[in-house]
Amino acid sequence: RLRANIHPIPWYAGIREGVLHLRIVQLRPVDVAVLRGIIEDLIALCVVFIGVFGFSAYKIVSTINGYKQAEKSYTDLTQQFTNTTSTSPTPVPSADVGDGIDPEVSPIDVDIAALHAQYPDVVGWIYSPDTKINYPIAYTDNNFWYLDHLYDESYNANGTIFIDTKCASDFSDKNTLVYGHNMNDGSMFASLRN
């Protein structure tokens, strides 16, 4: 490979006999090796960037698919085991309850017995009007399993809402701790932010 170095010619030298004086220099073997090393480094860097981009794209797609899988699973479960009441419940004054709301009025009916028969860890249902909160509540012997498993025990990062292992599974404690994620897609307990 050749490289042309144009050296400044003093103003007084000018062009002699109509020929511009150029000095042609041949690249030394050391220069070729350095250039080859730079090119190899750039290729390795591009491979790393492509790998990071590919892994990031995979994680984004798998997260979105996990959201969709969980949403479909919970929607199917809701349709199978719950019925919404046809009319909006109206609070009825009651002599037994100090706040004037009848505790028996519910906007949804959940067949907990059938749900528990099919999914033994499911012990209840949580619902909040005007939010996306409409999920089964699970109970198991540890506080880690349902962080990344659905009620049917399939793996999913969305997890399932579950009761703390130190609480009674029949909600007989004075307070029952219920755990669930605050998902970026607005599901689970994300609507409680607002």
Side-chain angles (χ1 to χ4, degrees), residues 143-160:
N143 283 340
F144 302 105
W145 177 257
Y146 282 113
L147 286 174
D148 56 9
H149 287 81
L150 297 179
Y151 58 89
D152 60 0
E153 300 185 357
S154 64
Y155 177 82
N156 190 296
N158 286 27
T160 299

Side-chain angles (χ1 to χ4, degrees), residues 3-172:
R3 173 178 70 196
N5 287 337
I6 300 176
H7 297 283
I9 300 174
W11 63 271
Y12 55 84
I15 299 176
R16 287 188 224 154
E17 302 171 8
V19 176
L20 179 63
H21 297 281
L22 298 176
R23 184 174 159 199
I24 307 296
V25 179
Q26 185 175 7
L27 289 178
R28 293 173 292 169
V30 173
D31 293 336
V32 173
V34 169
L35 185 61
R36 183 174 290 134
I38 291 172
I39 291 172
E40 288 172 356
D41 290 345
L42 288 174
I43 290 172
L45 192 61
C46 287
V47 168
V48 168
F49 284 146
I50 290 170
V52 168
F53 177 78
F55 179 74
S56 298
Y58 165 77
K59 290 302 282 182
I60 289 170
V61 168
S62 65
T63 299
I64 291 171
N65 284 339
Y67 286 156
K68 289 179 181 179
Q69 176 193 5
E71 182 179 3
K72 182 181 181 327
S73 181
Y74 284 120
T75 300
D76 291 347
L77 188 75
T78 301
Q79 290 174 352
Q80 184 178 357
F81 292 102
T82 66
N83 294 316
T84 57
T85 56
S86 58
T87 59
S88 176
T90 306
V92 178
S94 171
D96 297 335
V97 180
D99 58 7
I101 298 176
D102 185 356
E104 298 301 318
V105 176
S106 174
I108 63 170
D109 293 321
V110 181
D111 190 354
I112 295 293
L115 186 60
H116 184 69
Q118 189 165 348
Y119 306 105
D121 285 350
V122 175
V123 294
W125 195 273
I126 186 167
Y127 172 80
S128 178
D130 301 323
T131 67
K132 287 188 173 184
I133 300 172
N134 192 13
Y135 300 104
I137 299 176
Y139 182 82
T140 190
D141 60 356
N142 70 66
N143 283 340
F144 302 105
W145 177 257
Y146 282 113
L147 286 174
D148 56 9
H149 287 81
L150 297 179
Y151 58 89
D152 60 0
E153 300 185 357
S154 64
Y155 177 82
N156 190 296
N158 286 27
T160 299
I161 295 175
F162 63 95
I163 297 174
D164 189 286
T165 57
K166 295 177 184 171
C167 298
S169 64
D170 62 356
F171 300 95
S172 61

